[in-house]
Amino acid sequence: MRFADVIVDISAHALDRSFQYRVPEELTGSCDVGTLVSVPFGKRTVTGYIVGFSDTPKIEEGKIRPLARVDNEATSEESRLTGLAVWIRDRYGSTFLQALHTVLPKKTKMKVRQQKRVTLAVSADEAWRAAAVCRVKKQKARERLLGALSEEETLPWEVVTQKLNVTPSVVRALAQKGLVRIESEDAYRTPKLPEAFSHKGITLNAEQEKIVRAICSSWEEEPAGRYLIRGVTGSGKTEVYIELIAFAVEHGQQAIVLIPEIALTYQTLMRFYHRFGDRVSIIHSKMSAGERSDQFERARRGEIDVMIGPRSALFTPFEHLGMIVIDEEHEESYRSGQAPRYHAREVAFRRGEMEKAKVVLGSATPSLEASYAAERGLLKEFRLTQRAGGSVLPGVEVVDLRREKGVSDRTMIGRRLREAIQETLSRHEQAMLFLNRRGVASFVTCRTCGDVLKCPHCDVALTLHGRDRLVCHYCGYQTSLPDTCPSCGSPFLRTFKAGTEQIEREVRQLFPSAAVLRMDKDTTSGKDGQLEILSKFASHEADILIGTQMIVKGHDFPDVTLMGILAADLSLNVPDFRAAERTFQLLTQAAGRAGRAEKPGRVLIQTYQPDHYAIQCAARQDYDSFYRREMHYRMLSGYPPAGGLLQVHLSCTDKEQLEAAAAHLRGLLDRILSNVTTAVVLGPSDEAVGKIADVYHMAIYLKCPDRRVLRVSKDRMERYIGANEGFRTVDIQFDAD
């Protein structure tokens, strides 16, 4: 006798476990892990997912009920995706249903729109004769329709009912007589991309061609190969992806291309549309639920070969997946912010392993995790050292704001940058101004010496709460805002808070004759807001484009010769151990926007910390030096990728309950790890934002070089949470690095 372990599709924490059902003999051949089934549950029948099998009953065999039926509409690919959800749940910690709904987001199918048409079912001569009979009988609508179909064999339903003014009942009457046919087909809600940008095909250079040949030659030998393409900004990584995908499509396979939402630009998409036509589709956050549903349905039916989109595109139900590309793989948006807190890179590796698909990572500034894996031989690394098309990297100048005249609490644009903007405008070229606000928290710096007020126990900036309280969000250390700088005694302490609107006002005052555009969340809230701004800038309707990180990803404007980076310190001093890495990545990416064609580019980086290694390495575009320096820090501190990190995020509307729950979990961890000398537990402490919409947030951090210890600790905590009623009102999520 065979038994199936089934997760029922009921959202209740008490039911977040599998239930055993007997597999009837007639269903044995149609069941597998991930199969969608219907099962009796109490007095009703519910949907469930098979997550495992066994030959041994867990309870008295006579009490085990049989599976009711198997969902024959579910494809084998959907079954494999369900198996992937089981892995995600075990790896990252969440309920089974949270993992399943992440992997299979289309739980309820959207109503498919039908495109109807009316087709002549007889010859044109017969139609004319029938029309003559209708004329005699004064059936004008029938005569009108038959006459039109005699000239045009098929007419859209809208033309028949609107232009010809023929009612549906008249059409049905003619269909009953066998004179016409009413036909219909699914009409997908497919987003249309306007030709906002032209794209010229290019011939691969020697470096690009070498990478394509190397990967394609190992197609059969390494079906689940993993690769890292590290190329300087503008080196043509996208063209390499396209050639690799074309090879996969020629061999009957399909591909997923992940691009951070912020870098999902129309310039990038048009390259794929030019190559693959209507066999490529996209998904993104501004699409309607119907549009997203239709694109997944097209993929399930095999009507497309390439799906492009952000993190969620990873779960496209392709039956013959051959390649997963993760462009800008270093981007933090590939990590989910809600349970399950998975990372797309790891899940892509797992899916590639399950389906024998290659995974290609690409970036000018790879994550330390990717480079560390390549260093250990877990990824095969390729490098692109030259820009495609013959352009050269821009010259970079670091501007020390401690000595820069003209910068105060009321301005963000120093003298050197003002002069550079004026020179650019005089040559009728374009400039971009990037406000480095990614992950910004309010912190305090000394305008005299440039030092940032940091936690004495952790190498992170203290965050300003209110007007005078400084807090470390890693260990909970608190202190009052001093009157003078602890390093040099200067009274000139500055709180960093800045916005794009403030920069826009300042630019308009300084350069009144220049046309200025601002691109941030406020100006791109509409469905086509981003495209409208980029189209205007591309067509020279603006001289200066101001924005946050969304202006430094994936754009290629040939007349942009100046990139001004304002306040590089903002991301450098957020309370996060990855602050230096993200700063280096952002500055390098931003610098790469200038000088992408024949005209030479120039970059100015304004900073209060010009000697910081992240800024110096970014100015030199020197990834190798940055990697060595940052990995040394990670090894000393035990942070990923040198060590493992498990973050436990707790939230509750009742602060006392939250603090009690956090204290109990900390006590449990202390008991679990009492004999593990290499493990370090930090917290519980308030999150960076301790209260959102009347919900309080706390976190506990567990570091250990042995990731198996983290996995065991997570599993023990999950069992402890499930067995204690006191955690019912507290939401707990795990984030494993």
Side-chain angles (χ1 to χ4, degrees), residues 264-295:
L264 198 61
T265 66
Y266 288 90
Q267 286 172 303
T268 299
L269 295 175
M270 290 313 298
R271 298 182 186 183
F272 287 91
Y273 271 77
H274 277 290
R275 184 63 178 268
F276 300 104
D278 60 2
R279 297 294 296 180
V280 63
S281 187
I282 61 171
I283 59 170
H284 55 79
S285 62
K286 291 187 178 180
M287 290 172 64
S288 67
E291 286 175 329
R292 291 171 64 88
S293 174
D294 281 358
Q295 302 324 300

Short mmCIF file of all heavy atoms in Angstrom, two decimals, residues 264-295:
data_model
loop_
_atom_site.label_atom_id
_atom_site.label_comp_id
_atom_site.label_asym_id
_atom_site.label_seq_id
_atom_site.Cartn_x
_atom_site.Cartn_y
_atom_site.Cartn_z
N LEU A 264 14.59 47.21 -15.52
CA LEU A 264 13.75 46.62 -16.57
C LEU A 264 13.37 47.72 -17.56
O LEU A 264 12.23 48.14 -17.65
CB LEU A 264 12.50 46.00 -15.95
CG LEU A 264 11.73 44.97 -16.77
CD1 LEU A 264 12.61 43.77 -17.09
CD2 LEU A 264 10.50 44.51 -16.02
N THR A 265 14.35 48.23 -18.27
CA THR A 265 14.15 49.38 -19.14
C THR A 265 13.70 48.93 -20.53
O THR A 265 13.95 47.81 -20.96
CB THR A 265 15.45 50.18 -19.28
OG1 THR A 265 16.41 49.38 -19.97
CG2 THR A 265 16.00 50.57 -17.93
N TYR A 266 13.07 49.84 -21.23
CA TYR A 266 12.58 49.53 -22.56
C TYR A 266 13.73 49.35 -23.54
O TYR A 266 13.63 48.59 -24.51
CB TYR A 266 11.62 50.62 -23.03
CG TYR A 266 10.31 50.54 -22.30
CD1 TYR A 266 10.11 51.24 -21.12
CD2 TYR A 266 9.28 49.73 -22.76
CE1 TYR A 266 8.91 51.15 -20.43
CE2 TYR A 266 8.08 49.63 -22.08
CZ TYR A 266 7.90 50.35 -20.91
OH TYR A 266 6.72 50.23 -20.23
N GLN A 267 14.85 50.02 -23.28
CA GLN A 267 16.02 49.82 -24.14
C GLN A 267 16.47 48.36 -24.09
O GLN A 267 16.75 47.75 -25.12
CB GLN A 267 17.16 50.72 -23.69
CG GLN A 267 16.95 52.19 -24.05
CD GLN A 267 18.01 53.05 -23.40
OE1 GLN A 267 18.18 53.03 -22.19
NE2 GLN A 267 18.72 53.81 -24.20
N THR A 268 16.53 47.81 -22.88
CA THR A 268 16.94 46.41 -22.72
C THR A 268 15.93 45.47 -23.35
O THR A 268 16.28 44.53 -24.09
CB THR A 268 17.11 46.07 -21.23
OG1 THR A 268 18.12 46.92 -20.67
CG2 THR A 268 17.51 44.62 -21.04
N LEU A 269 14.65 45.72 -23.10
CA LEU A 269 13.61 44.83 -23.60
C LEU A 269 13.56 44.81 -25.13
O LEU A 269 13.35 43.76 -25.74
CB LEU A 269 12.25 45.25 -23.04
CG LEU A 269 12.09 45.12 -21.53
CD1 LEU A 269 10.75 45.67 -21.09
CD2 LEU A 269 12.24 43.67 -21.08
N MET A 270 13.75 45.97 -25.74
CA MET A 270 13.67 46.03 -27.20
C MET A 270 14.74 45.17 -27.86
O MET A 270 14.54 44.66 -28.96
CB MET A 270 13.77 47.48 -27.68
CG MET A 270 12.55 48.34 -27.35
SD MET A 270 10.95 47.56 -27.75
CE MET A 270 11.11 47.34 -29.52
N ARG A 271 15.88 44.99 -27.21
CA ARG A 271 16.92 44.11 -27.77
C ARG A 271 16.38 42.69 -27.92
O ARG A 271 16.62 42.01 -28.93
CB ARG A 271 18.16 44.12 -26.90
CG ARG A 271 18.82 45.48 -26.77
CD ARG A 271 20.07 45.40 -25.93
NE ARG A 271 20.65 46.70 -25.68
CZ ARG A 271 21.78 46.92 -25.02
NH1 ARG A 271 22.45 45.88 -24.56
NH2 ARG A 271 22.23 48.12 -24.82
N PHE A 272 15.67 42.23 -26.90
CA PHE A 272 15.11 40.88 -26.95
C PHE A 272 13.95 40.81 -27.96
O PHE A 272 13.81 39.81 -28.67
CB PHE A 272 14.64 40.47 -25.56
CG PHE A 272 15.76 40.16 -24.62
CD1 PHE A 272 16.30 41.14 -23.81
CD2 PHE A 272 16.29 38.88 -24.53
CE1 PHE A 272 17.34 40.87 -22.94
CE2 PHE A 272 17.33 38.59 -23.67
CZ PHE A 272 17.86 39.59 -22.87
N TYR A 273 13.14 41.86 -28.02
CA TYR A 273 12.02 41.86 -28.96
C TYR A 273 12.52 41.85 -30.41
O TYR A 273 11.94 41.18 -31.27
CB TYR A 273 11.13 43.07 -28.72
CG TYR A 273 10.04 42.82 -27.70
CD1 TYR A 273 10.33 42.80 -26.35
CD2 TYR A 273 8.73 42.56 -28.09
CE1 TYR A 273 9.36 42.56 -25.41
CE2 TYR A 273 7.74 42.31 -27.16
CZ TYR A 273 8.06 42.31 -25.82
OH TYR A 273 7.08 42.06 -24.89
N HIS A 274 13.59 42.58 -30.68
CA HIS A 274 14.14 42.58 -32.03
C HIS A 274 14.64 41.20 -32.43
O HIS A 274 14.55 40.81 -33.59
CB HIS A 274 15.29 43.59 -32.13
CG HIS A 274 14.84 45.00 -32.36
ND1 HIS A 274 14.28 45.42 -33.54
CD2 HIS A 274 14.84 46.08 -31.54
CE1 HIS A 274 13.97 46.70 -33.45
NE2 HIS A 274 14.30 47.13 -32.25
N ARG A 275 15.16 40.43 -31.47
CA ARG A 275 15.75 39.12 -31.79
C ARG A 275 14.71 38.01 -31.79
O ARG A 275 14.74 37.12 -32.65
CB ARG A 275 16.85 38.80 -30.78
CG ARG A 275 17.59 37.49 -31.08
CD ARG A 275 18.32 37.57 -32.42
NE ARG A 275 19.07 36.37 -32.70
CZ ARG A 275 20.34 36.17 -32.38
NH1 ARG A 275 21.01 37.15 -31.77
NH2 ARG A 275 20.95 35.06 -32.68
N PHE A 276 13.78 38.03 -30.84
CA PHE A 276 12.88 36.88 -30.67
C PHE A 276 11.42 37.19 -31.01
O PHE A 276 10.58 36.29 -30.94
CB PHE A 276 12.97 36.35 -29.24
CG PHE A 276 14.35 35.90 -28.85
CD1 PHE A 276 15.14 36.68 -28.02
CD2 PHE A 276 14.86 34.72 -29.33
CE1 PHE A 276 16.42 36.28 -27.67
CE2 PHE A 276 16.15 34.30 -28.99
CZ PHE A 276 16.93 35.09 -28.16
N GLY A 277 11.10 38.43 -31.35
CA GLY A 277 9.75 38.77 -31.78
C GLY A 277 8.68 38.45 -30.75
O GLY A 277 8.88 38.66 -29.55
N ASP A 278 7.55 37.90 -31.21
CA ASP A 278 6.45 37.63 -30.29
C ASP A 278 6.65 36.34 -29.48
O ASP A 278 5.76 35.93 -28.75
CB ASP A 278 5.11 37.56 -31.04
CG ASP A 278 5.10 36.47 -32.11
OD1 ASP A 278 6.11 35.74 -32.24
OD2 ASP A 278 4.08 36.35 -32.81
N ARG A 279 7.85 35.72 -29.60
CA ARG A 279 8.15 34.55 -28.78
C ARG A 279 8.79 34.95 -27.46
O ARG A 279 9.27 34.11 -26.71
CB ARG A 279 9.09 33.60 -29.53
CG ARG A 279 8.51 33.03 -30.81
CD ARG A 279 7.35 32.11 -30.58
NE ARG A 279 7.73 30.92 -29.84
CZ ARG A 279 6.87 29.95 -29.52
NH1 ARG A 279 5.60 30.03 -29.85
NH2 ARG A 279 7.29 28.90 -28.85
N VAL A 280 8.82 36.26 -27.17
CA VAL A 280 9.34 36.75 -25.90
C VAL A 280 8.22 37.52 -25.20
O VAL A 280 7.38 38.15 -25.84
CB VAL A 280 10.57 37.66 -26.10
CG1 VAL A 280 10.23 38.89 -26.90
CG2 VAL A 280 11.18 38.06 -24.78
N SER A 281 8.19 37.43 -23.88
CA SER A 281 7.19 38.16 -23.11
C SER A 281 7.83 38.72 -21.85
O SER A 281 8.95 38.35 -21.49
CB SER A 281 6.00 37.27 -22.76
OG SER A 281 4.96 38.05 -22.16
N ILE A 282 7.10 39.61 -21.19
CA ILE A 282 7.62 40.24 -19.98
C ILE A 282 6.56 40.22 -18.89
O ILE A 282 5.36 40.13 -19.17
CB ILE A 282 8.05 41.70 -20.23
CG1 ILE A 282 6.84 42.53 -20.70
CG2 ILE A 282 9.18 41.78 -21.22
CD1 ILE A 282 7.12 44.02 -20.76
N ILE A 283 7.01 40.31 -17.65
CA ILE A 283 6.12 40.61 -16.53
C ILE A 283 6.82 41.66 -15.67
O ILE A 283 8.05 41.71 -15.61
CB ILE A 283 5.77 39.38 -15.67
CG1 ILE A 283 7.02 38.74 -15.09
CG2 ILE A 283 4.97 38.37 -16.45
CD1 ILE A 283 6.72 37.68 -14.04
N HIS A 284 6.05 42.52 -15.04
CA HIS A 284 6.60 43.50 -14.11
C HIS A 284 5.48 43.98 -13.19
O HIS A 284 4.30 43.66 -13.39
CB HIS A 284 7.26 44.67 -14.85
CG HIS A 284 6.37 45.36 -15.84
ND1 HIS A 284 5.41 46.26 -15.48
CD2 HIS A 284 6.31 45.26 -17.19
CE1 HIS A 284 4.79 46.72 -16.55
NE2 HIS A 284 5.31 46.11 -17.61
N SER A 285 5.84 44.73 -12.18
CA SER A 285 4.90 45.07 -11.11
C SER A 285 3.77 45.98 -11.56
O SER A 285 2.71 46.01 -10.92
CB SER A 285 5.65 45.73 -9.95
OG SER A 285 6.25 46.94 -10.38
N LYS A 286 3.94 46.73 -12.65
CA LYS A 286 2.90 47.66 -13.07
C LYS A 286 1.91 47.04 -14.05
O LYS A 286 0.99 47.71 -14.51
CB LYS A 286 3.54 48.91 -13.69
CG LYS A 286 4.27 49.75 -12.64
CD LYS A 286 4.76 51.06 -13.19
CE LYS A 286 5.44 51.88 -12.10
NZ LYS A 286 5.95 53.18 -12.60
N MET A 287 2.08 45.76 -14.35
CA MET A 287 1.11 45.08 -15.19
C MET A 287 -0.10 44.71 -14.37
O MET A 287 -0.02 44.49 -13.16
CB MET A 287 1.74 43.81 -15.79
CG MET A 287 2.80 44.07 -16.83
SD MET A 287 3.68 42.58 -17.35
CE MET A 287 2.36 41.65 -18.12
N SER A 288 -1.25 44.62 -15.02
CA SER A 288 -2.47 44.21 -14.33
C SER A 288 -2.39 42.72 -14.00
O SER A 288 -1.59 41.98 -14.58
CB SER A 288 -3.69 44.48 -15.21
OG SER A 288 -3.67 43.62 -16.35
N ALA A 289 -3.25 42.28 -13.08
CA ALA A 289 -3.28 40.86 -12.72
C ALA A 289 -3.63 40.01 -13.95
O ALA A 289 -3.10 38.91 -14.14
CB ALA A 289 -4.29 40.63 -11.61
N GLY A 290 -4.51 40.54 -14.80
CA GLY A 290 -4.88 39.81 -16.01
C GLY A 290 -3.73 39.67 -16.98
O GLY A 290 -3.53 38.60 -17.57
N GLU A 291 -2.95 40.73 -17.14
CA GLU A 291 -1.79 40.67 -18.03
C GLU A 291 -0.76 39.66 -17.53
O GLU A 291 -0.23 38.86 -18.31
CB GLU A 291 -1.15 42.05 -18.14
CG GLU A 291 -1.94 43.04 -18.98
CD GLU A 291 -1.33 44.43 -18.98
OE1 GLU A 291 -0.72 44.80 -17.96
OE2 GLU A 291 -1.48 45.15 -19.98
N ARG A 292 -0.49 39.69 -16.23
CA ARG A 292 0.48 38.75 -15.67
C ARG A 292 -0.01 37.31 -15.83
O ARG A 292 0.74 36.41 -16.21
CB ARG A 292 0.72 39.06 -14.19
CG ARG A 292 1.46 40.36 -13.96
CD ARG A 292 1.47 40.73 -12.48
NE ARG A 292 2.19 39.76 -11.68
CZ ARG A 292 3.50 39.81 -11.43
NH1 ARG A 292 4.22 40.80 -11.94
NH2 ARG A 292 4.07 38.91 -10.69
N SER A 293 -1.29 37.09 -15.54
CA SER A 293 -1.87 35.76 -15.65
C SER A 293 -1.77 35.24 -17.08
O SER A 293 -1.41 34.08 -17.32
CB SER A 293 -3.33 35.79 -15.19
OG SER A 293 -3.95 34.55 -15.42
N ASP A 294 -2.06 36.11 -18.04
CA ASP A 294 -2.02 35.70 -19.44
C ASP A 294 -0.61 35.32 -19.89
O ASP A 294 -0.43 34.39 -20.68
CB ASP A 294 -2.56 36.82 -20.33
CG ASP A 294 -4.09 36.88 -20.32
OD1 ASP A 294 -4.70 36.02 -19.66
OD2 ASP A 294 -4.65 37.77 -20.96
N GLN A 295 0.39 36.05 -19.40
CA GLN A 295 1.76 35.73 -19.82
C GLN A 295 2.21 34.39 -19.27
O GLN A 295 2.88 33.61 -19.96
CB GLN A 295 2.72 36.84 -19.39
CG GLN A 295 2.38 38.22 -19.94
CD GLN A 295 1.82 38.19 -21.35
OE1 GLN A 295 2.47 37.72 -22.28
NE2 GLN A 295 0.60 38.68 -21.52
#
